[in-house]
Amino acid sequence: MAAVRAEGLYKVFGRKADLAVQQLKQGASREEVAKLGVTPAVIDASFEVEPGEIFVVMGLSGSGKSTLIRMLNGLWHATDGHIYVDGTDIVNAHGAELRQMRKEKISMVFQHFALLPHLTVAENAAYALDIQGMPKEERFARAEEALEMVGLGGWGDRFPVQLSGGMKQRVGLARALAAGSEIMLMDEAFSALDPLIKREMQEQLLQLQSSLNKTIVFITHDLNEAMRLGDRIAVMRDGRIVQIGTAEEVLNDPANDYVAQFVADVDRTRVLTASSIMEPAQFVVNADSGPREAQYTMREKQMVAAFAVGRRGDKLHGVVHDQDVVSAVRRGDKSLEGIIDTDVGAVHQDTYLVDLFAPSAENPLPLPVIDDEKRLVGVVPRVTLLSAMASIADVVHTADSPAQDAATTGVTRGFGTEASNAGQGGDA
Amino acid sequence: MILAQSEGFDPLNPRIEIGQWADDLVSWFEDTFKPVLDLISDGLGGAYDGLSNALREPSVILIVLLFGLIGLLFWERFPPLRALSMSFVVVPIVLGGAAGWGVHALGEELESQFLALLIVFALIGWLVRSWAFGIFSAVAFYVVAGMDEWDRAMETLSLVLISVIIATLIGVPLGILAAKSQVVSNAIRPVLDFMQTMPAMVYLIPTLFAFGIGVVPGMISTIVFAMPPGVRLTEHGIRNVDTEVVEAGQAFGSPPLRILRQIQLPLALPTIMAGINQVIMLALSMVVLAAMVGAAGLGLEVVRGLQGLQIPRGAEAGLAVVVLAIFLDRIVAALADRAPVVRASRVRD
């Protein structure tokens, strides 16, 4: 049995919502019903989420994915359709019934973390258990376990304000894990995080998932993230689900032009960006310090060259080479200014992989990756770029082989764009 | 009566008898709710008399209680003391109470009625805010006593405190309702506008009729005039709590009242406190008006100064009002800074 099943789900905002649903069912377009003064946010969405699966809903902002996820735990009432959680239809559930379902079965992780700022990390992690009415000692023990799971053991007595964005979201994750429910809704959970932290969190989620086997519905607008996390991906546009399939299927067999455009030019090196494969920069010296300090750092870590980064805001100034630093020390220079080589071939974090090859080939050092403020956010060593390419080639290869193709379509075709098919399949 | 008035109505030379209607309405209101009005009158009047007598001639019990509170503040302010186990909290309270008894005895000895309360104000100023403010409070209240305005200042303080407490008790729940329900919000907004913009003296007239000369009509007018910001800022504070955080409460199955208690009220508390601060300031601005219908206190002194064109009298009473205003404002602002959410936002490693 599916852990979560949606059947012909509609959410229309406005007074004449019911009328609008009628018209939409008779084939009216989104624009036509907009004349009624209503906003259809989700139109005829049907899908099933299997237990233990990560189901990603991907779409641009305004595509209805946030509305969709909020209907799954009843934060917003569906205008029409059915939602089965563990086989129970929750669309007509109200008040206490709905709260009971949320306590027992579904937890949620939020885009901006939604921690309670006046409570400690432990109290936040224990929040769901508090609501469930668990005695104090027991719930703090459980919360501490959950915090350990996400790598925040011992941070319990801090306040959210003392944590970085990534750590805050770990608390959000711990709160959801501590609740002990089988189903987790994650609403753009990593979208507010820096690229490297985001990657880390994605890896951690996958790692946790491999042992916990939760059912996860994950909302994102980030294709890279959807590809990395999703066992299956549903692509949404203008309130409708336009395709459901595995990452390979969505890439290789887009259901329509929109999806095709979304997955960008078929070539994955044009989909994945520098930020999705970059690694933390190891060889960094302070651009404002003197050559002596730089020499010390470089000798310590045995580097031949290092990125010179400003003390304020990590701004990348350039690169310094070992022989220049040594001669600067010998000359008795007070600052690194004269010997910083500014020609480092830095690439923006949104640069596609395809555009990284030329600079990477020209440059003996790892490519520095910078953001809009020219801050050093990571590096792409040549070996990383090459191994990323190798794994992409793998994916393409396996997806092309007929046997694999048949297997994946067998599982996933059923949830294609024809919602009625999926519905019948579910009833049978 | 309304009909009688409108019979002779000439559309080109209109005279709409709103004033008459208001009079009729007030008369009807008084006749109908006489028992309720008497109850309110007795309640408010009694509370005022009790508090102002207690502040002017503080009994040993009051001073001991206040010093017990100060002992608690002292214990809570200094982390090394707080780090001791919870049960030790009794110790500072008892010690404080004992000190209070001593101070009261000293006041008796020196035949000074204001000494004990002055020390209480200064200590509260220090413990709630800073040592500098403690010194300021001591000096400022000493000046009030020096101007021979102490008793009147305590009367005004009583009037303001009771009015503010009642305005808060009505205003904050109303603000919560308005934040929860758009209908309530839409319904009370024009009423609040009306209450705030109607010249405050107008309230004096019907309340005077209903309650007679004395402190009660002044307090009622003060409550009506000072309440709106309390309602508005409470509504604003609760509505502005991050939607996602409220959703988090709902998503984990918390019932609405618990969300209000655990999430919305704590997060809105700084804004609500700002509202209460406004209520206090508006209440203080009403003391002179209240004096016009017979409330005692500093306002009466200002009115007399005006009637007799006596600059010293007006200046001294006015300055005493300013001292009260500064003291109350800074204390409430400091209390707002102690809201858990503000404290947590300041925590650093």
Side-chain angles (χ1 to χ4, degrees), chain B residues 78-102:
Chain B
F78 295 99
L81 290 175
R82 219 172 1 163
L84 299 170
S85 132
M86 263 314 273
S87 57
F88 283 107
V89 71
V90 186
V91 178
I93 294 178
V94 170
L95 286 180
W101 186 78

Side-chain angles (χ1 to χ4, degrees), chain A residues 313-334:
Chain A
D314 293 348
K315 199 168 176 255
L316 179 65
H317 287 239
V319 72
V320 290
H321 297 278
D322 50 0
Q323 68 267 35
D324 296 340
V325 171
V326 172
S327 25
V329 170
R330 214 173 284 149
R331 283 200 303 274
D333 286 3
K334 286 280 177 268

Side-chain angles (χ1 to χ4, degrees), chain A residues 39-264:
Chain A
T39 318
V42 173
I43 302 167
D44 194 19
S46 298
F47 56 86
E48 290 188 21
V49 184
E50 299 300 327
E53 151 177 74
I54 301 186
F55 184 80
V56 175
V57 180
M58 185 182 67
L60 299 178
S61 58
S63 61
K65 54 195 191 311
S66 279
T67 314
L68 182 68
I69 202 174
R70 277 169 174 70
M71 283 194 286
L72 297 185
N73 62 354
L75 282 183
W76 288 354
H77 283 290
T79 316
D80 198 59
H82 299 280
I83 300 164
Y84 297 95
V85 175
D86 266 359
T88 332
D89 191 350
I90 64 152
V91 162
N92 294 317
H94 281 280
E97 206 180 333
L98 209 49
R99 287 197 290 274
Q100 199 58 33
M101 188 274 295
R102 291 173 187 156
K103 280 188 213 169
E104 288 169 4
K105 291 180 180 161
I106 295 194
S107 54
M108 191 161 177
V109 181
F110 293 84
Q111 179 172 10
H112 301 290
F113 327 131
L115 302 180
L116 303 181
H118 59 297
L119 301 185
T120 62
V121 166
E123 285 166 336
N124 266 292
Y127 178 72
L129 301 173
D130 181 24
I131 301 300
Q132 288 170 18
M134 186 181 280
K136 196 168 180 183
E137 269 172 39
E138 200 182 338
R139 71 171 185 255
F140 277 114
R142 283 265 296 270
E144 180 61 26
E145 271 171 38
L147 285 171
E148 265 162 29
M149 258 190 256
V150 298
L152 281 181
W155 284 75
D157 53 359
R158 309 292 180 98
F159 282 94
V161 71
Q162 295 171 284
L163 309 184
S164 67
M167 292 163 95
K168 282 183 195 163
Q169 193 55 301
R170 291 206 165 111
V171 180
L173 197 54
R175 174 172 66 182
L177 290 174
S181 38
E182 276 311 305
I183 304 168
M184 265 169 64
L185 307 179
M186 302 184 75
D187 178 24
E188 300 253 14
F190 304 149
S191 297
L193 303 175
D194 294 337
L196 276 177
I197 309 292
K198 190 172 177 175
R199 280 265 301 290
E200 233 172 74
M201 293 293 289
Q202 290 164 353
E203 271 154 33
Q204 187 166 39
L205 179 66
L206 288 174
Q207 215 172 24
L208 284 170
Q209 173 66 357
S210 66
S211 57
L212 296 175
N213 251 340
K214 301 271 182 193
T215 306
I216 299 175
V217 179
F218 194 103
I219 299 284
T220 182
H221 64 264
D222 176 352
L223 182 61
N224 290 328
E225 186 164 70
M227 298 286 160
R228 188 168 295 127
L229 296 179
D231 294 321
R232 285 186 305 136
I233 299 169
V235 184
M236 275 189 93
R237 183 202 189 186
D238 291 344
R240 293 177 193 274
I241 294 181
V242 290
Q243 183 171 14
I244 298 182
T246 61
E248 292 83 12
E249 282 177 318
V250 173
L251 277 174
N252 294 330
D253 189 16
N256 60 22
D257 288 350
Y258 177 78
V259 181
Q261 244 174 30
F262 208 102
V263 300

